[in-house]
Each structure stands twice: as C-alpha cells, then as structure tokens.
Amino acid sequence: MNNFKQIRFYDTENEVELGGFLADNKYIICGCCGTVLGEKGDEDYPILEIYQEWVNLSDCIIGDEA
C-alpha cells in the first residue's frame, strides 16, 4: 500500500524550496515534474516540512513561494 504525504523540501543544487510528496515515508517525489529525487534524509533534498493535512502547494511547487 502506498502512503503519500505532502512535503516542502529544499533542492540544494538549484537553491530553491519546492513542494512535493513523500511516498511510503521513504521516497521524495517532486511535485513539479514528478521525478523521484531521492530518499528521506538525502542531503541534496532535505525535507523542511511534512504536512499533516493536504494543503494547496501550487506556489511552492512552481517555486514562487515567498
């Protein structure tokens, strides 16, 4: 069974915060392109926040978060 949570994470290569998903409490999936970026705890994509409820991440996903 797949378990997905919304997250906010930091892309260290591009120096930007993005929104995405944490699948099975293990894999980080980019909300913009759908790419599996790495695993939870990956230094390149540290998780900044795990949302407990579904939220609108539109601005965060496209990198326009203030």
Side-chain angles (χ1 to χ4, degrees):
M1 179 177 178
N2 291 331
N3 178 14
F4 290 90
K5 294 183 180 179
Q6 286 180 303
I7 61 170
R8 186 169 52 91
F9 66 94
Y10 189 73
D11 177 348
T12 58
E13 182 178 341
N14 296 303
E15 298 181 344
V16 65
E17 289 185 21
L18 294 168
F21 304 94
L22 181 62
D24 295 329
N25 204 33
K26 185 174 182 179
Y27 300 105
I28 298 170
I29 302 171
C30 179
C32 181
C33 66
T35 301
V36 177
L37 299 172
E39 294 191 17
K40 184 177 177 182
D42 188 331
E43 293 177 2
D44 294 331
Y45 305 102
I47 295 174
L48 303 174
E49 186 170 1
I50 299 175
Y51 296 95
Q52 298 305 310
E53 296 189 23
W54 290 96
V55 297
N56 183 347
L57 292 176
S58 296
D59 290 340
C60 189
I61 287 172
I62 60 174
D64 289 339
E65 185 177 32

